[in-house]
Amino acid sequence: MVDPTAAIPPASREAVLETFGLLGYGQLLAFSRLAEDAPHAPALADRLVLSRMAAGELAQLEDLQQYVNYRGGDLAAAMGHFHGVLGDLDARTAPQDWPERLMRMYIGYGIVADFQREVSAGLDERSRTVAQGALATNGFDDYVVSVLRPMIDADSRHAARLALWGRRVVGEALSLAQHALVHHRLLADLLHAARPGEDTAALLARLERGHSLRMERLGLAA
Amino acid sequence: MVDPTAAIPPASREAVLETFGLLGYGQLLAFSRLAEDAPHAPALADRLVLSRMAAGELAQLEDLQQYVNYRGGDLAAAMGHFHGVLGDLDARTAPQDWPERLMRMYIGYGIVADFQREVSAGLDERSRTVAQGALATNGFDDYVVSVLRPMIDADSRHAARLALWGRRVVGEALSLAQHALVHHRLLADLLHAARPGEDTAALLARLERGHSLRMERLGLAA
């Protein structure tokens, strides 16, 4: 019998599991976030859109599960390492209304997804392909832009308030990313493997550039 | 071109749409309920179980959607007729802890599902088959019994408290079923078609018998 894990060194296998734990926990949180946001939608049609996106996040979690099973790992156990880390984002950013709720997900989970992409870049090719599949867009960003952009363009008070809110959310998300790196040495090692010689400040700068692009799509300054 | 709706009279088609609206809204609420309950689970494994069941509810909604599209109807519009009716169940039954949360879903949505089955029995055969597919068990009942039964058997205080809670939840659920019948004449007509000569009291008695069986599985008197 061929051991699928034999070809890569044990340390790398641990890093794969840790990364998939991060990805899996992120998918589960995105599922819960979208599913809980959905009933707050102003119309049933929007509630359906978000509920379906939520279910899509969970479908991506199953893909991760399948791969980790194949590698002989335990995804739930790996996900458990991140319990309480990423979950804080929601607790620290309680939205006041529907636009703030949409932006929390768009901005906050946008940073989380970019961070997950950065870490995944350090994986072996096969694992990276699976990871990228799970991180593929679910259409949420386009949906948020289609809802919020006209609102922002039409009323400068919305623009001012949501720009402020975006800065608040991104601050929390970036501090979570830093926290995750401090507490998960294997992730920091993967980032280093993907971009040797780069420090955390350079990573954060790149995450902020991604954020600026998302804000620009809304017509807001980061 | 063949019109798939041509073979049945318009009144019946309206009743099908109304029933599928009820079923679809029920699936959407069950999705939201399970998805929102999941993060309250005491362990990540349970959170995953409930999240997956939630996604399953939404998958069943897609089956309903597909059939209604085929019949030339608009499922979202039909679902909209039930907005605020079924949703009240959650608002009226705020659980204090995890066992009460599980029981709310088990007891409350148990009644909702039985009610949906009763109404669906009056549909034409093809519609009924699709409806029954969407109402197929998702394993939630077995899960709840496996979690709560040992707890109840081990501690009579749990038993007393949860028996009381079950009566509270079923009372709300039965009053919602009555409310739905009063406000949705087409559903009452279907019930009448399925069991001519039966009045609402007989229906409620049957729903209560189903409830008693669920309570029995937990080792509780209804």
Side-chain angles (χ1 to χ4, degrees), chain A residues 6 19 69 92 103 138 172 197 199 204:
Chain A
T19 305
N69 286 350
R92 290 186 194 179
M103 261 193 85
N138 59 2
E172 296 290 348
D199 61 4
L204 292 175

Side-chain angles (χ1 to χ4, degrees), chain B residues 39-84:
Chain B
H40 294 272
L44 184 62
D46 297 272
R47 179 172 181 172
L48 280 167
V49 165
L50 291 197
S51 297
R52 283 171 176 145
M53 285 177 187
E57 299 288 340
L58 210 70
Q60 290 174 324
L61 177 62
E62 306 303 341
D63 295 341
L64 298 174
Q65 172 90 66
Q66 208 174 353
Y67 183 70
V68 170
N69 286 350
Y70 164 73
R71 293 288 288 260
D74 180 345
L75 181 61
M79 286 166 66
H81 297 174
F82 295 91
H83 185 63

Side-chain angles (χ1 to χ4, degrees), chain A residues 32 47 52 58 62 65, chain B residues 32 47 51-52 62 65:
Chain A
S32 297
R47 179 173 180 170
R52 282 169 175 148
L58 211 69
E62 306 303 341
Q65 172 92 64
Chain B
S32 298
R47 179 172 181 172
S51 297
R52 283 171 176 145
E62 306 303 341
Q65 172 90 66

Side-chain angles (χ1 to χ4, degrees), chain A residues 29-160:
Chain A
L29 286 181
F31 163 78
S32 297
R33 183 70 273 133
L34 281 166
E36 285 178 26
D37 283 347
H40 295 271
L44 184 62
D46 297 271
R47 179 173 180 170
L48 281 168
V49 165
L50 290 197
S51 298
R52 282 169 175 148
M53 285 178 187
E57 299 288 341
L58 211 69
Q60 290 175 324
L61 177 62
E62 306 303 341
D63 296 341
L64 298 174
Q65 172 92 64
Q66 209 174 351
Y67 182 70
V68 170
N69 286 350
Y70 165 72
R71 293 288 288 259
D74 179 345
L75 182 61
M79 286 166 67
H81 297 174
F82 295 92
H83 184 64
V85 179
L86 292 170
D88 274 5
L89 181 58
D90 292 350
R92 290 186 194 179
T93 51
Q96 288 192 323
D97 57 14
W98 182 240
E100 287 194 5
R101 194 173 278 276
L102 288 179
M103 261 193 85
R104 170 171 69 174
M105 182 79 196
Y106 174 72
I107 297 297
Y109 283 78
I111 291 286
V112 170
D114 282 351
F115 177 70
Q116 290 172 322
R117 278 185 201 100
E118 294 279 350
V119 171
S120 303
L123 293 174
D124 62 282
E125 195 185 336
R126 187 157 188 187
S127 302
R128 198 167 60 236
T129 305
V130 176
Q132 283 166 345
L135 289 168
T137 176
N138 59 2
F140 181 76
D141 285 9
D142 292 343
Y143 170 78
V144 170
V145 170
S146 77
V147 172
L148 293 186
R149 180 77 202 229
M151 206 181 274
I152 286 165
D153 286 347
D155 187 337
S156 62
R157 283 168 308 176
H158 275 306

